[in-house]
Amino acid sequence: MSNPYAEIFRVPGTKGFSSAGFIARLPLPMSTIGIVAMLSQTHGEYWLAGAVSATFALANAFIAPQVSRWVDRKGQAAVLAPTVSIAFLGLIGLAAAAWAESPNWVLFVFALIAGVMPSIGSMVRARWTEIYRGEPQLHAAFAFESVLDELVYMAGPVFGIGLSVALFPEAGVLAAASFLAVGSTLFMIQKSTEPKLGAQTLNRSGSVMRYPAMWFVVFVFIGIGMIFGTVEVAVIAFAEALGNKAAATYVLSLYAAGSCAVGLLFGAMSFKRSLASRLLIASVVALITTLPLPFVGNLWVLTLMVFISGSIASPTFITGMSLIERIVPSAQLTEGITYAMTGVLIGFAAGSSVSGWMIDAYGASNGFWGAVFGGLVAVAAMVAGYRRLFALTQTPAPTDAMLPAAS
């Protein structure tokens, strides 16, 4: 049996843009947690650290889809150069303002500027789609990138916190700026795999969110993002409550390991069920795996349950991304994928916030109820949108000649 992952990298340039994309994706999760680590040390106020980090995350959630829409109209390299430069200066300015103990409003301004950071993961997937549109290799390519996303969202916070604590408070944010500049530059210079602009691209004005089906998929991603955010916060609190905070690192590592392992296996498989059916099943399983978490009493059981819960993340991502390819025309694929990734970011922020509040009010174990709620959001979205999504999988994928429909 041939290795599907070896096959996808046989096309020249694929190793290069995927590797560069991995580096360029690290800054987003590094920045969100790095801002908290930096400001909690320089200013000693967690409310400020959390508020500035949330400002960056929410700004990116609203700006990144518009940047991706611009990418679909003008091309990746043309848009990456200015937006990466702006985001880079925003991160550098934020670190400098923290070091200089500037007024709080200055921190918020630079956080907003840094929020211009583009969605590199969406552009990487757009390149894979350009190469393997309509071919089985695209499933494996999406699986591989979903695994890399897991590594990014787990390794990024570790780098962001670790550098700030081990070196100096601003180190995590400065490292994020460096990864953004280097990774994006390496990504931009690889012209051979950049998606070509279609004849209809320049005339497009409607957002992909005019497709009702997109809302259901985005809410599934919001629910999964809530599970991510909840687990990251609640695991740390749970381990600390048991007097072994350092163990949280190993538990969260296994959470990522579970998702990566199943993601690689899932990407190598072929399925007869429709994409809509697969996403519904994945959402239900995601909910079921969160149900035991609030009742866990020790770290060993928590580690096992977190590993099982993490194993469903990648299949959900892979299937959801494949559905988006069926929902939107190819000329708007980057924008569509970015909205999905934005959903994860919004869900992550909501999950971590709700979990933190629950932990402070009711104890560490109860923080995991945020993950259960996230699972309910994902399932509710799929139940509500199943008919529409199933119908889409029974028809040909939209072409560049199709304009967004309002219904």
Side-chain angles (χ1 to χ4, degrees):
M1 180 179 177
S2 61
N3 183 345
Y5 299 107
E7 289 183 9
I8 64 174
F9 285 109
R10 286 175 181 169
V11 174
T14 50
K15 292 180 181 178
F17 78 71
S18 184
S19 300
F22 176 79
I23 297 171
R25 271 182 283 186
L26 281 169
L28 184 57
M30 281 184 68
S31 298
T32 52
I33 198 66
I35 290 171
V36 174
M38 175 178 71
L39 295 180
S40 63
Q41 293 180 80
T42 59
H43 288 66
E45 296 175 305
Y46 276 93
W47 74 265
L48 177 64
V52 174
S53 179
T55 298
F56 164 76
L58 290 175
N60 186 258
F62 286 102
I63 295 172
Q66 308 313 314
V67 171
S68 291
R69 188 175 174 187
W70 189 19
V71 167
D72 284 331
R73 293 166 65 88
K74 302 295 184 182
Q76 292 185 353
V79 176
L80 274 177
T83 54
V84 167
S85 298
I86 292 171
F88 175 81
L89 292 175
L91 291 175
I92 296 296
L94 183 56
W99 175 79
E101 297 185 0
S102 300
N104 290 349
W105 67 266
V106 177
L107 300 174
F108 285 100
V109 168
F110 278 118
L112 283 171
I113 295 172
V116 177
M117 188 181 297
S119 176
I120 302 295
S122 303
M123 299 183 205
V124 171
R125 287 177 170 86
R127 294 198 180 204
W128 283 118
T129 304
E130 180 80 359
I131 296 170
Y132 291 123
R133 187 182 308 280
E135 299 181 29
Q137 289 93 331
L138 185 59
H139 175 73
F142 278 2
F144 182 78
E145 293 302 328
S146 293
V147 169
L148 291 189
D149 278 334
E150 288 293 319
L151 294 176
V152 163
Y153 276 94
M154 290 300 168
V158 173
F159 288 154
I161 295 174
L163 291 172
S164 292
V165 173
L167 301 178
F168 52 90
E170 301 83 9
V173 173
L174 291 175
S178 300
F179 280 130
L180 178 65
V182 173
S184 298
T185 300
L186 292 174
F187 188 77
M188 280 187 286
I189 62 177
Q190 299 181 61
K191 300 287 190 179
S192 64
T193 52
E194 181 175 350
K196 306 297 186 294
L197 296 179
Q200 298 291 328
T201 301
L202 298 178
N203 296 323
R204 294 197 180 279
S205 59
S207 168
V208 296
M209 297 311 291
R210 292 175 63 188
Y211 290 98
M214 275 297 300
W215 287 94
F216 299 116
V217 177
V218 168
F219 268 95
V220 170
F221 278 72
I222 288 174
I224 299 301
M226 289 186 69
I227 296 175
F228 283 179
T230 295
V231 168
E232 186 159 303
V233 173
V235 163
I236 294 172
F238 187 85
E240 185 175 17
L242 293 181
N244 191 5
K245 189 175 182 179
T249 302
Y250 306 108
V251 177
L252 290 175
S253 296
L254 280 176
Y255 181 71
S259 185
C260 291
V262 174
L264 289 172
L265 178 63
F266 188 83
M269 298 169 66
S270 58
F271 300 91
K272 293 183 178 179
R273 287 183 178 273
S274 70
L275 288 168
S277 298
R278 278 184 265 159
L279 191 57
L280 175 60
I281 293 170
S283 300
V284 171
V285 174
L287 169 61
I288 292 172
T289 60
T290 65
L291 293 177
L293 293 176
F295 307 102
V296 170
N298 63 71
L299 280 172
W300 290 108
V301 177
L302 177 67
T303 301
L304 174 62
M305 297 313 304
V306 163
F307 178 83
I308 294 173
S309 179
S311 66
I312 198 60
S314 283
T316 307
F317 277 162
I318 296 162
T319 308
M321 293 298 177
S322 297
L323 256 176
I324 290 172
E325 189 209 359
R326 302 302 302 271
I327 295 171
V328 305
S330 60
Q332 293 182 284
L333 183 62
T334 307
E335 181 188 354
I337 293 175
T338 301
Y339 271 109
M341 301 309 294
T342 294
V344 175
L345 191 60
I346 292 173
F348 190 96
S352 59
S353 298
V354 170
S355 178
W357 177 81
M358 292 288 290
I359 290 166
D360 288 339
Y362 303 107
S365 293
N366 285 305
F368 287 108
W369 284 109
V372 177
F373 184 74
L376 287 170
V377 169
V379 171
M382 277 307 301
V383 170
Y386 180 76
R387 279 191 173 186
R388 187 182 294 271
L389 293 171
F390 181 80
L392 282 169
T393 62
Q394 306 305 303
T395 59
T399 65
D400 292 349
M402 296 171 60
L403 291 175
S407 61

PDB file of all heavy atoms in Angstrom, residues 25-51:
ATOM      1  N   ARG A  25       2.902  30.107  10.605  1.00  0.00           N
ATOM      2  CA  ARG A  25       1.674  29.937  11.395  1.00  0.00           C
ATOM      3  C   ARG A  25       1.924  30.006  12.896  1.00  0.00           C
ATOM      4  O   ARG A  25       1.002  30.262  13.678  1.00  0.00           O
ATOM      5  CB  ARG A  25       1.019  28.599  11.073  1.00  0.00           C
ATOM      6  CG  ARG A  25       0.051  28.659   9.918  1.00  0.00           C
ATOM      7  CD  ARG A  25      -0.597  27.317   9.667  1.00  0.00           C
ATOM      8  NE  ARG A  25       0.301  26.410   8.980  1.00  0.00           N
ATOM      9  CZ  ARG A  25      -0.044  25.212   8.534  1.00  0.00           C
ATOM     10  NH1 ARG A  25      -1.269  24.767   8.711  1.00  0.00           N
ATOM     11  NH2 ARG A  25       0.822  24.442   7.895  1.00  0.00           N
ATOM     12  N   LEU A  26       3.149  29.776  13.319  1.00  0.00           N
ATOM     13  CA  LEU A  26       3.462  29.780  14.748  1.00  0.00           C
ATOM     14  C   LEU A  26       3.151  31.114  15.443  1.00  0.00           C
ATOM     15  O   LEU A  26       2.738  31.116  16.608  1.00  0.00           O
ATOM     16  CB  LEU A  26       4.941  29.427  14.966  1.00  0.00           C
ATOM     17  CG  LEU A  26       5.305  27.949  14.869  1.00  0.00           C
ATOM     18  CD1 LEU A  26       6.832  27.782  14.833  1.00  0.00           C
ATOM     19  CD2 LEU A  26       4.726  27.178  16.045  1.00  0.00           C
ATOM     20  N   PRO A  27       3.351  32.268  14.791  1.00  0.00           N
ATOM     21  CA  PRO A  27       3.173  33.542  15.494  1.00  0.00           C
ATOM     22  C   PRO A  27       1.783  33.784  16.078  1.00  0.00           C
ATOM     23  O   PRO A  27       1.671  34.462  17.106  1.00  0.00           O
ATOM     24  CB  PRO A  27       3.480  34.588  14.407  1.00  0.00           C
ATOM     25  CG  PRO A  27       4.404  33.890  13.477  1.00  0.00           C
ATOM     26  CD  PRO A  27       3.931  32.471  13.453  1.00  0.00           C
ATOM     27  N   LEU A  28       0.726  33.260  15.471  1.00  0.00           N
ATOM     28  CA  LEU A  28      -0.611  33.548  15.986  1.00  0.00           C
ATOM     29  C   LEU A  28      -0.823  32.994  17.394  1.00  0.00           C
ATOM     30  O   LEU A  28      -1.123  33.766  18.317  1.00  0.00           O
ATOM     31  CB  LEU A  28      -1.675  33.019  15.014  1.00  0.00           C
ATOM     32  CG  LEU A  28      -3.122  33.344  15.378  1.00  0.00           C
ATOM     33  CD1 LEU A  28      -3.327  34.845  15.514  1.00  0.00           C
ATOM     34  CD2 LEU A  28      -4.080  32.770  14.336  1.00  0.00           C
ATOM     35  N   PRO A  29      -0.663  31.690  17.626  1.00  0.00           N
ATOM     36  CA  PRO A  29      -0.813  31.201  19.002  1.00  0.00           C
ATOM     37  C   PRO A  29       0.299  31.673  19.921  1.00  0.00           C
ATOM     38  O   PRO A  29       0.081  31.835  21.129  1.00  0.00           O
ATOM     39  CB  PRO A  29      -0.801  29.673  18.840  1.00  0.00           C
ATOM     40  CG  PRO A  29      -0.083  29.427  17.563  1.00  0.00           C
ATOM     41  CD  PRO A  29      -0.432  30.576  16.673  1.00  0.00           C
ATOM     42  N   MET A  30       1.496  31.895  19.376  1.00  0.00           N
ATOM     43  CA  MET A  30       2.581  32.427  20.210  1.00  0.00           C
ATOM     44  C   MET A  30       2.241  33.819  20.722  1.00  0.00           C
ATOM     45  O   MET A  30       2.542  34.160  21.871  1.00  0.00           O
ATOM     46  CB  MET A  30       3.889  32.498  19.404  1.00  0.00           C
ATOM     47  CG  MET A  30       4.616  31.194  19.245  1.00  0.00           C
ATOM     48  SD  MET A  30       6.203  31.399  18.390  1.00  0.00           S
ATOM     49  CE  MET A  30       7.116  32.335  19.615  1.00  0.00           C
ATOM     50  N   SER A  31       1.617  34.625  19.877  1.00  0.00           N
ATOM     51  CA  SER A  31       1.324  36.003  20.247  1.00  0.00           C
ATOM     52  C   SER A  31       0.239  36.099  21.310  1.00  0.00           C
ATOM     53  O   SER A  31       0.357  36.873  22.265  1.00  0.00           O
ATOM     54  CB  SER A  31       0.909  36.810  19.011  1.00  0.00           C
ATOM     55  OG  SER A  31       1.954  36.847  18.063  1.00  0.00           O
ATOM     56  N   THR A  32      -0.837  35.318  21.152  1.00  0.00           N
ATOM     57  CA  THR A  32      -1.940  35.416  22.105  1.00  0.00           C
ATOM     58  C   THR A  32      -1.482  35.092  23.525  1.00  0.00           C
ATOM     59  O   THR A  32      -1.802  35.826  24.467  1.00  0.00           O
ATOM     60  CB  THR A  32      -3.089  34.478  21.697  1.00  0.00           C
ATOM     61  OG1 THR A  32      -2.574  33.156  21.487  1.00  0.00           O
ATOM     62  CG2 THR A  32      -3.755  34.956  20.422  1.00  0.00           C
ATOM     63  N   ILE A  33      -0.733  34.013  23.683  1.00  0.00           N
ATOM     64  CA  ILE A  33      -0.271  33.641  25.017  1.00  0.00           C
ATOM     65  C   ILE A  33       0.975  34.433  25.404  1.00  0.00           C
ATOM     66  O   ILE A  33       1.204  34.738  26.575  1.00  0.00           O
ATOM     67  CB  ILE A  33       0.008  32.120  25.097  1.00  0.00           C
ATOM     68  CG1 ILE A  33       0.066  31.660  26.546  1.00  0.00           C
ATOM     69  CG2 ILE A  33       1.281  31.756  24.356  1.00  0.00           C
ATOM     70  CD1 ILE A  33      -1.230  31.759  27.280  1.00  0.00           C
ATOM     71  N   GLY A  34       1.795  34.805  24.402  1.00  0.00           N
ATOM     72  CA  GLY A  34       3.005  35.578  24.686  1.00  0.00           C
ATOM     73  C   GLY A  34       2.689  36.963  25.222  1.00  0.00           C
ATOM     74  O   GLY A  34       3.419  37.490  26.070  1.00  0.00           O
ATOM     75  N   ILE A  35       1.589  37.553  24.738  1.00  0.00           N
ATOM     76  CA  ILE A  35       1.172  38.868  25.242  1.00  0.00           C
ATOM     77  C   ILE A  35       0.807  38.771  26.717  1.00  0.00           C
ATOM     78  O   ILE A  35       1.163  39.635  27.531  1.00  0.00           O
ATOM     79  CB  ILE A  35      -0.008  39.404  24.413  1.00  0.00           C
ATOM     80  CG1 ILE A  35       0.461  39.780  23.008  1.00  0.00           C
ATOM     81  CG2 ILE A  35      -0.644  40.620  25.096  1.00  0.00           C
ATOM     82  CD1 ILE A  35      -0.662  40.104  22.046  1.00  0.00           C
ATOM     83  N   VAL A  36       0.083  37.708  27.084  1.00  0.00           N
ATOM     84  CA  VAL A  36      -0.293  37.508  28.485  1.00  0.00           C
ATOM     85  C   VAL A  36       0.944  37.322  29.351  1.00  0.00           C
ATOM     86  O   VAL A  36       1.086  37.938  30.411  1.00  0.00           O
ATOM     87  CB  VAL A  36      -1.234  36.297  28.631  1.00  0.00           C
ATOM     88  CG1 VAL A  36      -1.501  35.998  30.104  1.00  0.00           C
ATOM     89  CG2 VAL A  36      -2.545  36.558  27.895  1.00  0.00           C
ATOM     90  N   ALA A  37       1.866  36.463  28.891  1.00  0.00           N
ATOM     91  CA  ALA A  37       3.087  36.208  29.655  1.00  0.00           C
ATOM     92  C   ALA A  37       3.922  37.474  29.797  1.00  0.00           C
ATOM     93  O   ALA A  37       4.495  37.750  30.862  1.00  0.00           O
ATOM     94  CB  ALA A  37       3.908  35.111  28.973  1.00  0.00           C
ATOM     95  N   MET A  38       3.978  38.273  28.733  1.00  0.00           N
ATOM     96  CA  MET A  38       4.780  39.501  28.745  1.00  0.00           C
ATOM     97  C   MET A  38       4.189  40.551  29.694  1.00  0.00           C
ATOM     98  O   MET A  38       4.889  41.059  30.583  1.00  0.00           O
ATOM     99  CB  MET A  38       4.864  40.071  27.325  1.00  0.00           C
ATOM    100  CG  MET A  38       5.574  41.416  27.220  1.00  0.00           C
ATOM    101  SD  MET A  38       5.682  41.990  25.496  1.00  0.00           S
ATOM    102  CE  MET A  38       3.946  42.401  25.172  1.00  0.00           C
ATOM    103  N   LEU A  39       2.930  40.870  29.519  1.00  0.00           N
ATOM    104  CA  LEU A  39       2.326  41.961  30.286  1.00  0.00           C
ATOM    105  C   LEU A  39       2.092  41.590  31.757  1.00  0.00           C
ATOM    106  O   LEU A  39       2.109  42.462  32.624  1.00  0.00           O
ATOM    107  CB  LEU A  39       1.015  42.401  29.636  1.00  0.00           C
ATOM    108  CG  LEU A  39       1.152  43.027  28.246  1.00  0.00           C
ATOM    109  CD1 LEU A  39      -0.209  43.428  27.697  1.00  0.00           C
ATOM    110  CD2 LEU A  39       2.075  44.248  28.302  1.00  0.00           C
ATOM    111  N   SER A  40       1.869  40.312  32.021  1.00  0.00           N
ATOM    112  CA  SER A  40       1.704  39.916  33.425  1.00  0.00           C
ATOM    113  C   SER A  40       2.998  40.114  34.193  1.00  0.00           C
ATOM    114  O   SER A  40       2.978  40.336  35.417  1.00  0.00           O
ATOM    115  CB  SER A  40       1.264  38.452  33.505  1.00  0.00           C
ATOM    116  OG  SER A  40       2.255  37.583  32.962  1.00  0.00           O
ATOM    117  N   GLN A  41       4.142  40.066  33.483  1.00  0.00           N
ATOM    118  CA  GLN A  41       5.437  40.306  34.136  1.00  0.00           C
ATOM    119  C   GLN A  41       5.817  41.785  34.156  1.00  0.00           C
ATOM    120  O   GLN A  41       6.292  42.299  35.164  1.00  0.00           O
ATOM    121  CB  GLN A  41       6.533  39.524  33.401  1.00  0.00           C
ATOM    122  CG  GLN A  41       6.398  38.018  33.515  1.00  0.00           C
ATOM    123  CD  GLN A  41       7.515  37.299  32.771  1.00  0.00           C
ATOM    124  OE1 GLN A  41       8.648  37.169  33.268  1.00  0.00           O
ATOM    125  NE2 GLN A  41       7.213  36.822  31.575  1.00  0.00           N
ATOM    126  N   THR A  42       5.580  42.490  33.045  1.00  0.00           N
ATOM    127  CA  THR A  42       5.996  43.888  32.972  1.00  0.00           C
ATOM    128  C   THR A  42       5.049  44.826  33.715  1.00  0.00           C
ATOM    129  O   THR A  42       5.478  45.839  34.265  1.00  0.00           O
ATOM    130  CB  THR A  42       6.098  44.357  31.510  1.00  0.00           C
ATOM    131  OG1 THR A  42       4.820  44.211  30.872  1.00  0.00           O
ATOM    132  CG2 THR A  42       7.145  43.558  30.759  1.00  0.00           C
ATOM    133  N   HIS A  43       3.752  44.495  33.734  1.00  0.00           N
ATOM    134  CA  HIS A  43       2.775  45.383  34.358  1.00  0.00           C
ATOM    135  C   HIS A  43       2.134  44.785  35.610  1.00  0.00           C
ATOM    136  O   HIS A  43       1.524  45.521  36.395  1.00  0.00           O
ATOM    137  CB  HIS A  43       1.679  45.747  33.350  1.00  0.00           C
ATOM    138  CG  HIS A  43       2.137  46.684  32.280  1.00  0.00           C
ATOM    139  ND1 HIS A  43       3.084  46.344  31.327  1.00  0.00           N
ATOM    140  CD2 HIS A  43       1.788  47.965  32.002  1.00  0.00           C
ATOM    141  CE1 HIS A  43       3.294  47.361  30.517  1.00  0.00           C
ATOM    142  NE2 HIS A  43       2.525  48.355  30.893  1.00  0.00           N
ATOM    143  N   GLY A  44       2.259  43.463  35.773  1.00  0.00           N
ATOM    144  CA  GLY A  44       1.748  42.831  36.985  1.00  0.00           C
ATOM    145  C   GLY A  44       0.240  42.818  37.103  1.00  0.00           C
ATOM    146  O   GLY A  44      -0.285  42.633  38.208  1.00  0.00           O
ATOM    147  N   GLU A  45      -0.471  43.002  35.997  1.00  0.00           N
ATOM    148  CA  GLU A  45      -1.930  43.042  36.035  1.00  0.00           C
ATOM    149  C   GLU A  45      -2.479  42.056  34.997  1.00  0.00           C
ATOM    150  O   GLU A  45      -2.362  42.279  33.787  1.00  0.00           O
ATOM    151  CB  GLU A  45      -2.455  44.443  35.747  1.00  0.00           C
ATOM    152  CG  GLU A  45      -2.040  45.475  36.798  1.00  0.00           C
ATOM    153  CD  GLU A  45      -2.477  46.883  36.416  1.00  0.00           C
ATOM    154  OE1 GLU A  45      -2.130  47.324  35.304  1.00  0.00           O
ATOM    155  OE2 GLU A  45      -3.177  47.526  37.228  1.00  0.00           O
ATOM    156  N   TYR A  46      -3.098  41.000  35.479  1.00  0.00           N
ATOM    157  CA  TYR A  46      -3.607  39.974  34.576  1.00  0.00           C
ATOM    158  C   TYR A  46      -4.809  40.452  33.770  1.00  0.00           C
ATOM    159  O   TYR A  46      -5.021  40.017  32.639  1.00  0.00           O
ATOM    160  CB  TYR A  46      -3.962  38.706  35.357  1.00  0.00           C
ATOM    161  CG  TYR A  46      -2.765  37.815  35.599  1.00  0.00           C
ATOM    162  CD1 TYR A  46      -2.020  37.923  36.769  1.00  0.00           C
ATOM    163  CD2 TYR A  46      -2.352  36.884  34.652  1.00  0.00           C
ATOM    164  CE1 TYR A  46      -0.906  37.115  36.996  1.00  0.00           C
ATOM    165  CE2 TYR A  46      -1.251  36.068  34.859  1.00  0.00           C
ATOM    166  CZ  TYR A  46      -0.532  36.196  36.040  1.00  0.00           C
ATOM    167  OH  TYR A  46       0.571  35.403  36.245  1.00  0.00           O
ATOM    168  N   TRP A  47      -5.589  41.353  34.358  1.00  0.00           N
ATOM    169  CA  TRP A  47      -6.744  41.851  33.600  1.00  0.00           C
ATOM    170  C   TRP A  47      -6.273  42.586  32.354  1.00  0.00           C
ATOM    171  O   TRP A  47      -6.870  42.455  31.274  1.00  0.00           O
ATOM    172  CB  TRP A  47      -7.612  42.773  34.460  1.00  0.00           C
ATOM    173  CG  TRP A  47      -7.017  44.148  34.692  1.00  0.00           C
ATOM    174  CD1 TRP A  47      -6.277  44.563  35.759  1.00  0.00           C
ATOM    175  CD2 TRP A  47      -7.105  45.276  33.802  1.00  0.00           C
ATOM    176  NE1 TRP A  47      -5.887  45.868  35.597  1.00  0.00           N
ATOM    177  CE2 TRP A  47      -6.390  46.337  34.418  1.00  0.00           C
ATOM    178  CE3 TRP A  47      -7.703  45.497  32.564  1.00  0.00           C
ATOM    179  CZ2 TRP A  47      -6.262  47.595  33.827  1.00  0.00           C
ATOM    180  CZ3 TRP A  47      -7.577  46.754  31.980  1.00  0.00           C
ATOM    181  CH2 TRP A  47      -6.871  47.784  32.609  1.00  0.00           C
ATOM    182  N   LEU A  48      -5.189  43.376  32.510  1.00  0.00           N
ATOM    183  CA  LEU A  48      -4.642  44.114  31.376  1.00  0.00           C
ATOM    184  C   LEU A  48      -4.047  43.158  30.351  1.00  0.00           C
ATOM    185  O   LEU A  48      -4.269  43.300  29.137  1.00  0.00           O
ATOM    186  CB  LEU A  48      -3.572  45.099  31.855  1.00  0.00           C
ATOM    187  CG  LEU A  48      -2.848  45.891  30.760  1.00  0.00           C
ATOM    188  CD1 LEU A  48      -3.828  46.794  30.018  1.00  0.00           C
ATOM    189  CD2 LEU A  48      -1.708  46.709  31.362  1.00  0.00           C
ATOM    190  N   ALA A  49      -3.298  42.179  30.844  1.00  0.00           N
ATOM    191  CA  ALA A  49      -2.682  41.201  29.947  1.00  0.00           C
ATOM    192  C   ALA A  49      -3.749  40.460  29.139  1.00  0.00           C
ATOM    193  O   ALA A  49      -3.634  40.298  27.916  1.00  0.00           O
ATOM    194  CB  ALA A  49      -1.843  40.206  30.754  1.00  0.00           C
ATOM    195  N   GLY A  50      -4.802  40.030  29.824  1.00  0.00           N
ATOM    196  CA  GLY A  50      -5.870  39.320  29.132  1.00  0.00           C
ATOM    197  C   GLY A  50      -6.623  40.198  28.156  1.00  0.00           C
ATOM    198  O   GLY A  50      -6.991  39.765  27.061  1.00  0.00           O
ATOM    199  N   ALA A  51      -6.843  41.453  28.540  1.00  0.00           N
ATOM    200  CA  ALA A  51      -7.594  42.374  27.677  1.00  0.00           C
ATOM    201  C   ALA A  51      -6.814  42.716  26.408  1.00  0.00           C
ATOM    202  O   ALA A  51      -7.386  42.772  25.308  1.00  0.00           O
ATOM    203  CB  ALA A  51      -7.931  43.654  28.445  1.00  0.00           C
TER     204      ALA A  51
END
